Amino acid sequence: MKGFSELYLSLDASNRKNEKLAALRNYFSVVPPEDGAWAVFFLTGNRLKRPIRMTDFRKWAGLACGQPAWLVDECYNHVGDLAETLALLLSERKRSIQIQDRPLHQVVQEDIIPLRDLGLEEQRERLESIWEHLDGSSCFIFNKLITGGFRVGVSQSLVAAALAELANVEPAIMAHRMMGIWKPTPCAYKALFTGAHSEDQSAKPYPFCLSYPLDEIARSRLDTISNWQVEWKWDGIRAQLIKRGNEVILWSRGEEMLTDQFPEIVEEAASWSGSIVLDGELLAWDHDSPAPFSELQRRLGRKNVSVKMRNDVPVLFMSYDLLEFDGVDFRNKSTQERRSILQSWSSGISSRYFGISPLIDACSWEVVLRLREESRRRRVEGIMLKRKEAPYHSGRKKGDWWKWKVAPYTIDAIMIYAQLGHGRRAGLYTDYTFAVWNEDSLVPIAKAYSGLSDLDIRKVDRWIRQNTTDSHGPVRVLEPKQVFEIAFEGINESKRHKSGIAVRFPRIIRWRKDKLPKDADSLKMVRSLLAVDS
Amino acid sequence: MLIGSNQQPLIKWTTRGLYCEKGDFYIDPCRRVDRALITHAHSDHARVGMKSYLTADAGVGILKERIGIDSSISGIPFGKHQRIGGVIVSFHPAGHLLGSAQIRVEHRGEVWVVTGDYKITHDISCEAFEPVRCHNLITEATFALPVYSWPDSQLVFEQINQWWLNNQAEGRCSVLFAYALGKAQRLLCGIDHSIGPIGVHGAVEKMLPYYRKAGRAIPEGLLKANAENKEKLKGVGLIIAPGSVQNTPWLRKFAPYSLAFASGWMAIRGARRRRALDRGFVISDHVDWKGILNTVDNSGAECVGVTHGYADALVRWLGEERGLRAYEVSPKYAKDRPGEEAEK
Ligand SMILES: [Zn+2]
Ligand SMILES: [Zn+2]
């Protein structure tokens, strides 16, 4: 456990990719497969099912460190991370037992997982004795694993890069070996190095090719339009559909398996002959155009999709790339070539739940620019540009795929509430609620926490502390004085919100110190944006 | 004889700061007053514009450096009793930085102590904290939460030395952010200066003569961290500078570098990460939670005023767990916790 804790702390402490890579390499070069398997599991964002209730966990940790519950809460509010708070508090109590280091897999398999099947009192006793045996950083990691909040600033591709170096293969190959459901077994771990593929090989998705955002200036530097394949940027869920043999699997970009949530697509794909891997977008579909993203959200996170839900929210897999065909990897072929194979293949299949992302035929950048202005009306996010000669890259590679989104909506709103942030922003007031005018009262319109510089965050924090008029639990009520420019991507009617409006992806653009509260926008103005969006 | 509900407290909070009516003076006032007793020279305690200042002898030089040579500043030896109006006043080492003091005020046998900022852990760069018995203690609470528990400073110095050596091996300059008065000098006394050249920022350097004069072990041969000495420091040196230089052109001169911050706030990962630092070293010139509780116990005070930081939690804890009369000295929200850049 100590090795893993140290790895976590050095990944957490460093901002340098090379240092992180070195830390990973050092760890994996000596770790036994039993532990390495779990390390890969956690580092690539997998979580254990929570073995105990959080309220119990918090209560017992409080008892174990001998502090009253309110003080534990106070500390948690300040630190912003429960696992860290409890580790800090627990490391302070006296202990009677020598600390012993146990391997990661033992802690997971013998301590954490079995907790689930114990009664409440046994759970508490077990936890106390485990805590007793862990030193500060191991205690922190253990708590993180228990609370399921184990997140570390390392991307899957970085883990793959480190393992690839040790296995002496290309990072893309390692990324490919690692994708899919990771079974934290020594066998699976060893297979990463030997390439001996396990039985679920056929389910493995390819790493997605990701695009970079493009603005007007960067756009003007692109070469002639004839080198580019132009498509709409769909506003759905990026997904990879894999049909190898008779099995169909649908993966999200976050490598979440979506197969159960879109049964009609899976069923239809199963009826095709041959094998194919497609890259595309899952969309809620309304006759011949996309439905708002909020519709698609209704389909997510369900174990079973009812017939009613299927009828209420029809969906479509909008394919835009072909990665594999009849067992042959096509990713090194050019975008143009892949596209033509995709088109000829698609002409021969049933396509009730399938579409092919149409190409935009534009003879000049001016035409594209004009079409891009139609994005909102078409319920797309903007334009995608793909270099015709480019292969299908693994991950983010600058230069060949660009997303050129339409500008977001912006409004000026007044900050009215603030809450302490968590994680990186723990201890600072960084979660804000903004309001607009409704006649002469203020109505909340959006919550946002990102977009300010660290310096501004600290300034706003100080302002908040000095301008609190009231507080409700963790929420501070503020003098309605500060105006911020808020951007958001979409806007919908909503019965759940007091304002009758829900905005998507709100974020702070800038602090408008030059504006007075009376200059902020009105609900009426915000409502007028609804018309544009629908 | 202690403050009852019908009796005026000997020291009370006013909009100008802590005020002792019987002696007609303020302690660390925040607005202009005639007579100011100053615990130490940090800017949240010592402000310009007072008609007269009284501080511990050992802190006079630094105070003058901070608020101006022309100010009317008198000094008093540690421990010496002096009558001011109707009270007896004395200054006692607070262990926060060179010349920092707790202020003891006595009136007809009733003793109050205002700690100012203090720490009880070992620090060779300043006088050791002296416990003072009193009836009413007004303590700071910058780090008054049990999540704050300082590691042995010797271990921290070893971590800093090791970090410096590692950076040298990588050909990187080591930039250590620290508060320019107090922390910076403490670090200079504690690190292993044989490792390589040490550069100091102007704000740090300004204070060094006072430390040297007081016989504190500031290493010789320190370099001014400027363009002239850039080549000597690049790749091998350690630079001690205030955190405000992060993201400035001044700092970029010394690239490539590793950035670290030496502060009690570094005990929390979030504080470390949101400043985009490579390392955080947990070393503070304030007391931690246990230190405050020890100080309260040793003082014998039955009544504890809390100021400067996490007052709420400490007030409640002292009341509920220790059965003491505890109260928050400054009004709510007026003096909220300072935020991690200001560990003064
Ligand atoms: Zn202070
Ligand atoms: Zn101070």
Side-chain angles (χ1 to χ4, degrees):
Chain A
M1 183 85 171
K2 211 167 180 59
F4 187 64
S5 311
E6 277 163 12
L7 171 66
Y8 178 92
L9 293 178
S10 46
L11 292 174
D12 185 61
S14 173
N15 290 311
R16 292 170 214 275
K17 207 172 149 190
N18 279 342
E19 279 176 11
K20 289 186 186 206
L21 194 61
L24 287 164
R25 212 171 38 220
N26 291 344
Y27 175 77
F28 284 117
S29 65
V30 294
V31 73
E34 292 80 8
D35 286 354
W38 282 107
V40 170
F41 179 84
F42 292 120
L43 291 171
T44 52
N46 293 295
R47 296 156 172 232
L48 296 169
K49 216 172 113 203
R50 270 191 189 165
I52 50 173
R53 292 204 341 239
M54 273 309 93
T55 45
D56 292 334
F57 178 76
R58 205 155 148 179
K59 195 168 72 198
W60 297 334
L63 285 174
C65 62
Q67 297 291 1
W70 65 265
L71 187 54
V72 175
D73 289 347
E74 187 89 10
C75 290
Y76 172 40
N77 259 336
H78 173 66
V79 174
D81 181 317
L82 186 61
E84 186 181 357
T85 308
L86 299 178
L88 286 167
L89 293 174
L90 286 163
S91 70
E92 274 317 293
R93 90 229 116 106
K94 305 217 167 43
R95 53 174 107 229
S96 48
I97 297 172
Q98 182 81 44
I99 291 167
Q100 62 187 107
D101 187 35
R102 297 171 61 228
L104 176 65
H105 76 276
Q106 268 185 30
V107 174
V108 174
Q109 289 163 207
E110 292 167 22
D111 292 348
I112 299 178
I113 293 174
L115 272 175
R116 215 179 288 166
D117 304 320
L118 300 178
L120 277 184
E121 195 44 36
E122 286 169 305
Q123 284 187 333
R124 191 183 64 78
E125 282 168 17
R126 278 295 294 145
L127 270 176
E128 284 209 345
S129 101
I130 295 168
W131 279 326
E132 187 88 18
H133 288 91
L134 295 170
D135 75 348
S137 56
S138 296
C139 182
F140 167 58
I141 300 297
F142 173 79
N143 289 348
K144 278 271 173 205
L145 298 181
I146 288 263
T147 55
F150 186 86
R151 230 172 273 122
V152 61
V154 50
S155 63
Q156 170 137 0
S157 64
L158 200 66
V159 178
L163 290 165
E165 276 187 46
L166 295 171
N168 212 2
V169 295
E170 288 286 306
I173 292 177
M174 185 54 73
H176 187 252
R177 286 182 190 172
M178 284 168 62
M179 275 197 142
I181 303 163
W182 176 254
K183 289 207 192 84
T185 60
C187 270
Y189 183 77
K190 283 188 222 155
L192 289 179
F193 296 93
T194 57
H197 293 184
S198 48
E199 66 281 7
D200 55 9
Q201 174 60 21
S202 64
K204 283 192 176 180
Y206 291 104
F208 284 82
C209 176
L210 305 178
S211 60
Y212 264 85
L214 188 74
D215 58 18
E216 186 50 40
I217 300 162
R219 208 291 306 144
S220 67
R221 293 199 201 106
L222 296 183
D223 50 4
T224 164
I225 191 153
S226 60
N227 289 336
W228 295 89
Q229 178 172 308
V230 186
E231 296 171 49
W232 296 110
K233 171 147 185 22
W234 301 101
D235 184 14
I237 294 168
R238 182 84 182 273
Q240 199 173 121
L241 183 136
I242 295 173
K243 179 189 184 282
R244 292 183 182 125
N246 294 321
E247 198 186 7
V248 178
I249 292 168
L250 207 47
W251 291 100
S252 79
R253 216 194 90 193
E255 281 158 67
E256 194 193 345
M257 213 188 232
L258 299 171
T259 315
D260 299 338
Q261 297 173 43
F262 298 91
E264 59 269 64
I265 291 174
V266 172
E267 282 159 22
E268 193 174 85
S271 72
W272 305 334
S273 62
S275 296
I276 195 162
V277 177
L278 298 170
D279 182 7
E281 195 102 358
L282 288 160
L283 297 167
W285 198 251
D286 184 7
H287 297 102
D288 49 7
S289 65
F293 187 80
S294 52
E295 284 293 290
L296 184 62
Q297 273 173 321
R298 295 170 61 194
R299 289 287 301 257
L300 302 178
R302 288 167 190 275
K303 276 265 177 306
N304 283 301
V305 180
S306 65
V307 176
K308 182 175 184 307
M309 184 53 77
R310 279 201 200 191
N311 292 333
D312 283 358
V313 186
V315 291
L316 186 87
F317 184 86
M318 184 64 87
S319 341
Y320 40 63
D321 216 321
L322 178 146
L323 312 186
E324 186 187 294
F325 192 62
D326 280 340
V328 182
D329 182 349
F330 274 56
R331 291 177 298 157
N332 277 328
K333 297 228 183 307
S334 73
T335 298
Q336 207 167 10
E337 249 176 296
R338 297 195 311 275
R339 173 77 197 192
S340 74
I341 300 166
L342 176 67
Q343 269 171 338
S344 59
W345 165 80
S346 71
S347 59
I349 58 145
S350 86
S351 61
R352 191 165 162 208
Y353 300 107
F354 277 83
I356 300 284
S357 177
L359 298 187
I360 298 172
D361 193 12
C363 52
S364 71
W365 287 116
E366 286 67 40
V367 175
V368 178
L369 187 63
R370 213 161 38 239
L371 281 167
R372 180 170 159 271
E373 296 306 316
E374 296 176 10
S375 295
R376 281 196 207 288
R377 201 165 47 72
R378 292 172 177 269
R379 290 215 184 97
V380 296
E381 289 187 293
I383 299 279
M384 278 301 299
L385 300 172
K386 298 173 183 174
R387 187 180 289 284
K388 285 181 181 168
E389 290 310 312
Y392 188 90
H393 293 294
S394 289
R396 215 178 284 277
K397 197 152 188 225
K398 209 162 183 168
D400 287 343
W401 277 32
W402 298 101
K403 51 182 170 193
W404 189 20
K405 292 203 203 180
V406 280
Y409 296 105
T410 62
I411 56 168
D412 290 329
I414 302 171
M415 184 186 283
I416 55 167
Y417 309 131
Q419 253 180 291
L420 287 173
H422 287 265
R424 204 172 83 84
R425 288 159 167 185
L428 287 174
Y429 283 92
T430 55
D431 294 8
Y432 319 121
T433 301
F434 296 94
V436 290
W437 292 108
N438 187 18
E439 305 299 332
D440 45 12
S441 68
L442 284 165
V443 48
I445 192 77
K447 281 184 154 194
Y449 55 86
S450 62
L452 287 177
S453 68
D454 281 4
L455 184 68
D456 269 350
I457 285 178
R458 292 207 288 272
K459 280 190 187 153
V460 172
D461 176 75
R462 205 167 310 136
W463 183 87
I464 288 168
R465 290 167 193 281
Q466 288 159 358
N467 291 276
T468 302
T469 56
D470 197 2
S471 48
H472 302 300
V475 180
R476 287 195 177 210
V477 180
L478 309 173
E479 295 268 5
K481 277 189 182 158
Q482 299 296 344
V483 179
F484 289 79
E485 187 177 338
I486 309 296
F488 49 90
E489 296 298 326
I491 177 165
N492 291 111
E493 299 254 19
S494 163
K495 291 195 187 74
R496 289 187 301 116
H497 294 81
K498 204 174 149 193
S499 60
I501 276 176
V503 297
R504 272 183 68 210
F505 299 130
R507 58 194 184 273
I508 300 167
I509 297 295
R510 62 180 75 86
W511 190 357
R512 297 299 304 256
K513 294 178 200 163
D514 55 320
K515 292 213 169 184
L516 293 170
K518 68 175 174 57
D519 303 328
D521 283 315
S522 67
L523 185 59
K524 209 168 139 197
M525 176 276 183
V526 178
R527 287 198 71 89
S528 71
L529 299 173
L530 270 174
V532 189
D533 208 40
S534 45
Chain B
M1 95 175 173
L2 297 179
I3 48 158
S5 49
N6 51 354
Q7 205 180 327
Q8 274 290 314
L10 187 54
I11 295 170
K12 65 179 181 200
W13 173 259
T14 70
T15 52
R16 292 171 170 186
L18 287 172
Y19 180 58
C20 173
E21 198 180 326
K22 294 267 178 348
D24 192 23
F25 59 79
Y26 290 83
I27 296 176
D28 295 349
C30 44
R31 306 245 173 98
R32 284 166 187 239
V33 300
D34 285 352
R35 183 179 275 153
L37 274 57
I38 302 295
T39 59
H40 67 288
H42 279 154
S43 58
D44 55 332
H45 299 261
R47 296 172 178 88
V48 292
M50 312 298 157
K51 255 202 187 126
S52 74
Y53 296 83
L54 179 64
T55 197
D57 268 345
V60 168
I62 291 172
L63 186 59
K64 282 195 171 155
E65 176 68 46
R66 276 282 169 124
I67 61 171
I69 197 89
D70 303 328
S71 310
S72 154
I73 300 174
S74 4
I76 175 172
F78 279 128
K80 188 187 167 193
H81 284 203
Q82 177 171 336
R83 179 164 287 279
I84 302 179
V87 300
I88 295 166
V89 170
S90 55
F91 285 58
H92 304 267
H96 178 54
L97 58 93
L98 187 67
S100 67
Q102 315 169 65
I103 296 178
R104 178 186 186 275
V105 180
E106 183 178 347
H107 175 69
R108 294 188 186 157
E110 179 185 343
V111 177
W112 287 54
V113 166
V114 176
T115 65
D117 294 343
Y118 69 106
K119 69 171 176 291
I120 58 174
T121 40
H122 184 64
D123 177 359
I124 59 166
S125 74
C126 68
E127 306 83 5
F129 175 85
E130 177 190 313
V132 184
R133 301 283 296 179
C134 60
H135 300 107
N136 197 320
L137 181 76
I138 296 181
T139 178
E140 65 135 319
T142 309
F143 290 104
L145 284 175
V147 289
Y148 290 106
S149 170
W150 307 144
D152 179 355
S153 59
Q154 204 46 50
L155 291 178
V156 180
F157 286 128
E158 276 159 31
Q159 288 169 5
I160 296 173
N161 292 337
Q162 194 53 54
W163 164 74
W164 184 6
L165 284 165
N166 293 347
N167 289 333
Q168 279 186 346
E170 304 264 327
R172 274 202 296 265
C173 192
S174 306
V175 178
L176 182 53
F177 296 137
Y179 199 69
L181 169 57
K183 182 71 60 62
Q185 290 75 20
R186 181 183 184 191
L187 294 169
L188 284 169
C189 292
I191 48 173
D192 177 359
H193 55 264
S194 70
I195 293 174
I198 300 176
V200 286
H201 184 271
V204 174
E205 193 199 17
K206 238 177 16 193
M207 301 298 167
L208 297 179
Y210 305 101
Y211 276 78
R212 290 211 165 97
K213 217 159 94 192
R216 303 291 159 180
I218 304 285
E220 295 303 321
L222 299 181
L223 299 171
K224 246 189 181 151
N226 57 18
E228 204 177 311
N229 291 322
K230 183 171 88 173
E231 294 308 321
K232 287 187 202 144
L233 291 165
K234 271 178 107 167
V236 293
L238 170 74
I239 293 176
I240 298 186
S244 54
V245 304
Q246 194 172 359
N247 305 321
T248 61
W250 179 86
L251 184 60
R252 282 193 282 276
K253 284 200 280 278
F254 305 101
Y257 44 66
S258 174
L259 297 182
F261 195 18
S263 162
W265 300 112
M266 295 297 108
I268 308 294
R269 284 182 322 132
R272 204 160 62 222
R273 290 165 61 191
R274 70 172 161 258
R275 287 199 66 122
L277 299 162
D278 298 307
R279 285 295 294 272
F281 296 108
V282 185
I283 182 162
S284 178
D285 287 336
H286 294 265
V287 269
D288 60 6
W289 171 259
K290 273 192 197 147
I292 296 174
L293 301 185
N294 275 333
T295 305
V296 168
D297 284 348
N298 292 337
S299 74
E302 291 140 46
C303 205
V304 180
V306 180
T307 178
H308 209 295
Y310 273 94
D312 295 357
L314 183 59
V315 165
R316 183 165 172 192
W317 203 90
L318 291 173
E320 290 183 7
E321 307 287 321
R322 291 276 162 102
L324 296 172
R325 289 194 42 193
Y327 60 100
E328 194 173 339
V329 172
S330 45
K332 220 168 173 52
Y333 302 127
K335 264 204 158 187
D336 215 326
R337 95 189 161 75
E340 87 267 20
E341 71 262 55
E343 189 195 335
K344 296 173 190 170

